[in-house]
Amino acid sequence: MKIPVVLLNGFLGSGKTTLLRNLLVQSHEKNINVGVIVNDMSELDVDGELVAHTEVVEQKKYNFISIHNCIISSKRGLEELDKALHTILSKNTPEVILLETSGSGHPMPLIQYFQTNDRCSLTGVLALVDSLMLARDYNYGQLLVPLLQYNLQINKRDTINLLTEQIMFCNQLILTKADRLETGKVNVIAQSIHPLNPYVSIVSVPWGNLAIEQLLDMPEYNYHRVAQLAEELTPIIEIESKEEKPYNLATRVINDDRPFHPQRLWDTCQQYLDQKIYRSKGFFWLASRDKLSLLWNQAAGNISLECIGYWRSGIVEDENHGLTDMEVEELKKMLAKEPGRFGDRHCDLTVIGDATIIDSFIEALETCFLTEDELKLYISGMHFDDPWPKNMVKLSN
């Protein structure tokens, strides 16, 4: 019997990792055996690290594999996918395999791959669509179809084509972040984009709250329905699948042990975030909140900061840490192995955007780190003004 596979597909920042984490929590609570494959086009495997910190996935169970630094729908990515499935299925018999694709990945090569796979059966192809992004950048989705038609007229392919084709190939369309829109606007979005795929239902899913049972009961994917579309796109997608970063996308990674200056970071985000900076994510710290390990999570013009825990350095420095002397000594031994100047504190961010503007955003972002003179003031106990919201989401497993 073939193992069902569900693709979590959708454009950059649409909420795939949030949905996946929610599904994993459910599978743990309901004792459902799942296999998990996560893809990130960047060398900095942020999504893989977030998913790896759940109770469901463990290396010893051989049920979780992260494929990063490539797009899974590329030629190299499909080869890595084949290896990942072999590893999982040789050690395990999951009830379902959840495959989170990179937001820059096209679903068609994956659909064709599973159409001929003798061990897996593709059931769900979920397209997650960011309602906030459609509201802000595409007039609640009303500009999406006209922009696609314009691209077709001038024989142009960019992220508009990718976004719309992700919708066309899905068999379940999910609107995310719709709870942050004005009442009634989600219906405008649904009506605007439904013509791209009139055969599927559209559901609004806040914060990844989709029941896992809905995925377990899905029938096999209807390949016949998309056969003509696939035939038309095959020559184009074959060319794109040879590119590691198609659609004029570029990625950059920032690694630094310094904290961000909270006010400069705020000002830079207000000034430089552009709709063509599609996605940035990673781990960082602020000079004003140096005990907190923070998650940076940005999609287009929307950015959020989430607390994922405490730096070990911050725990050791806290006079009220509540640890035994032995535990403190163990932490100090671990911190002594860290390469940075501030223990385990660090900033690791990946940015994905249009190749024409990404470098200017990176340059602006790098000016937000404390200068060497400011670091001396920070070490001496200087207070830094912090305009970021005081109440921060605590990311849970």
Side-chain angles (χ1 to χ4, degrees):
M1 183 175 177
K2 291 186 176 183
I3 306 297
V5 174
V6 175
L7 300 186
L8 307 184
N9 190 230
F11 195 60
L12 296 154
S14 59
K16 297 182 296 296
T17 303
T18 299
L19 174 59
L20 177 58
R21 288 174 61 89
N22 189 290
L23 293 171
L24 292 181
V25 169
Q26 292 182 61
S27 69
H28 179 68
E29 293 173 346
K30 300 173 183 180
N31 198 29
I32 298 171
N33 183 12
V34 297
V36 182
I37 300 174
V38 173
N39 175 225
D40 195 321
M41 71 178 287
S42 171
E43 64 188 78
L44 184 60
D45 186 22
V46 176
D47 291 344
E49 287 193 43
L50 289 175
V51 174
H53 281 83
T54 61
E55 295 179 77
V56 181
V57 296
E58 296 179 20
Q59 189 173 7
K60 63 182 180 182
K61 290 182 179 178
Y62 300 97
N63 66 347
F64 170 67
I65 293 178
S66 176
I67 300 172
H68 57 281
N69 206 19
C70 70
I71 299 175
I72 203 168
S73 54
S74 67
K75 184 175 183 295
R76 176 189 160 199
L78 289 172
E79 292 172 352
E80 294 296 322
L81 172 61
D82 204 57
K83 295 176 187 175
L85 287 171
H86 176 76
T87 299
I88 289 176
L89 296 178
S90 64
K91 303 288 185 179
N92 211 331
T93 309
E95 296 175 52
V96 63
I97 294 175
L98 303 176
L99 171 51
E100 180 195 346
T101 69
S102 165
S104 54
H106 199 288
M108 195 182 86
L110 296 170
I111 291 170
Q112 293 175 326
Y113 169 85
F114 284 109
Q115 187 173 8
T116 58
N117 192 285
D118 58 358
R119 300 191 66 183
C120 298
S121 172
L122 182 63
T123 56
V125 178
L126 278 56
L128 279 69
V129 180
D130 183 343
S131 298
L132 279 179
M133 180 266 291
L134 286 185
R136 181 181 52 252
D137 298 340
Y138 300 102
N139 191 26
Y140 295 95
Q142 295 175 95
L143 294 177
L144 197 58
V145 172
L147 285 171
L148 173 65
Q149 292 170 337
Y150 176 74
N151 275 6
L152 294 175
Q153 290 172 4
I154 64 173
N155 197 28
K156 176 184 178 183
R157 283 189 65 79
D158 58 18
T159 54
I160 298 292
N161 300 75
L162 175 61
L163 175 58
T164 55
E165 287 163 15
Q166 287 174 341
I167 294 172
M168 290 177 184
F169 277 97
C170 78
N171 61 0
Q172 179 66 74
L173 181 53
I174 295 176
L175 294 179
T176 61
K177 310 176 189 176
D179 53 306
R180 306 179 211 179
L181 297 177
E182 299 173 33
T183 303
K185 291 299 186 181
V186 66
N187 292 328
V188 176
I189 291 176
Q191 292 169 8
S192 299
I193 66 176
H194 200 230
L196 291 169
N197 193 340
Y199 303 101
V200 302
S201 61
I202 302 178
V203 295
S204 174
V205 176
W207 299 103
N209 292 322
L210 180 70
I212 194 170
E213 289 84 0
Q214 295 183 38
L215 304 185
L216 298 176
D217 296 335
M218 297 186 81
E220 185 174 10
Y221 183 80
N222 186 350
Y223 298 101
H224 178 71
R225 180 178 65 80
V226 297
Q228 182 175 348
L229 178 62
E231 183 179 353
E232 293 172 358
L233 287 175
T234 292
I236 300 169
I237 302 302
E238 283 182 350
I239 294 173
E240 291 178 351
S241 67
K242 297 175 183 177
E243 302 177 33
E244 291 301 322
K245 298 181 177 88
Y247 314 108
N248 205 36
L249 291 173
T251 62
R252 301 288 186 269
V253 171
I254 295 177
N255 303 113
D256 208 298
D257 65 351
R258 294 174 294 169
F260 280 121
H261 187 293
Q263 185 66 59
R264 275 207 303 276
L265 182 64
W266 175 271
D267 294 340
T268 295
C269 289
Q270 301 296 315
Q271 182 178 355
Y272 286 93
L273 266 185
D274 184 277
Q275 70 179 61
K276 289 190 176 183
I277 298 297
Y278 302 114
R279 189 79 168 104
S280 58
K281 53 190 174 180
F283 311 102
F284 73 106
W285 62 300
L286 290 171
S288 52
R289 312 184 193 193
D290 58 1
K291 290 182 174 57
L292 297 180
S293 175
L294 302 175
L295 173 68
W296 170 292
N297 195 354
Q298 171 264 329
N302 183 52
I303 184 168
S304 65
L305 275 57
E306 301 169 70
C307 175
I308 58 173
Y310 295 89
W311 300 113
R312 295 190 182 101
S313 302
I315 295 173
V316 169
E317 293 166 5
D318 189 346
E319 295 179 358
N320 300 314
H321 50 59
L323 303 178
T324 65
D325 291 343
M326 183 178 295
E327 288 171 331
V328 172
E329 285 305 312
E330 285 301 314
L331 280 179
K332 287 182 177 179
K333 288 179 183 178
M334 296 171 67
L335 292 172
K337 299 176 183 178
E338 296 286 348
R341 291 173 287 178
F342 305 99
D344 58 332
R345 298 180 179 105
H346 62 277
C347 292
D348 288 334
L349 299 176
T350 184
V351 180
I352 305 171
D354 190 278
T356 60
I357 67 169
I358 191 171
D359 288 330
S360 61
F361 177 66
I362 291 295
E363 290 172 5
L365 205 55
E366 288 179 332
T367 66
C368 298
F369 288 115
L370 294 194
T371 65
E372 293 303 317
D373 288 339
E374 289 170 332
L375 283 175
K376 294 176 184 177
L377 295 173
Y378 160 74
I379 293 170
S380 67
M382 176 180 173
H383 169 77
F384 290 86
D385 291 336
D386 185 341
W388 293 91
K390 303 305 177 194
N391 294 325
M392 216 171 274
V393 174
K394 175 68 169 68
L395 194 66
S396 62
N397 292 337

